[in-house]
Amino acid sequence: TGYSTRGNKFSINDGQRRLLEWIAYHKLIGIEHFYLYDNSGAISANESLHSIASLFPDDVTYINWPSKICNNDKDSVGERSSQYAAEASCRLRFGPQTDWIAQFDIDEYVIPMGNSSSIHPLLDK
């Protein structure tokens, strides 16, 4: 639920605070539901985003995703972030049930432009 700066000089562990802010903001601009794939358990057994997800029981579907890396490419020995597998899982499991779906990290914000304060006018076009 945290991150390290380039070169690992500093470590920031404020994922729970950032997730709470992120969900609250995106609800304000019209996002109706969140599918939260939490891989924080792969990094530390003491960290989890479940407590924040449980604050929004009707708006957040919580998926424990304890994989830090994955490699499903038999021709490559390199490692890939499990984020790609989580995104594919989300599209397959929940995509058919939604009109719109997008993937974002909690440091990425959707910002309506112009006179809009909601994403709905854009999605309705």
Side-chain angles (χ1 to χ4, degrees), residues 35-86:
Y35 299 97
L36 175 61
Y37 278 71
D38 181 6
N39 75 335
S40 58
I43 299 163
S44 168
N46 299 326
E47 299 291 327
S48 173
L49 300 175
H50 187 267
S51 62
I52 301 303
S54 67
L55 296 173
F56 304 93
D58 297 328
D59 304 316
V60 176
T61 299
Y62 177 85
I63 300 95
N64 184 34
W65 194 260
S67 302
K68 186 174 183 179
I69 59 168
C70 74
N71 186 352
N72 57 2
D73 184 353
K74 62 182 169 74
D75 298 323
S76 172
V77 296
E79 297 175 344
R80 285 191 241 172
S81 165
S82 71
Q83 179 176 353
Y84 303 112

Side-chain angles (χ1 to χ4, degrees), residues 87-101:
E87 290 172 355
S89 169
C90 186
R91 284 190 303 272
L92 288 170
R93 291 172 71 183
F94 304 111
Q97 304 165 31
T98 65
D99 292 327
W100 293 94
I101 194 166

Side-chain angles (χ1 to χ4, degrees), residues 1-15 18 43 68 107:
T1 60
Y3 61 94
S4 296
T5 59
R6 193 167 296 212
N8 294 321
K9 188 171 182 178
F10 299 103
S11 180
I12 314 307
N13 293 309
D14 65 345
R18 290 185 301 128
I43 299 163
K68 186 174 183 179
D107 64 341

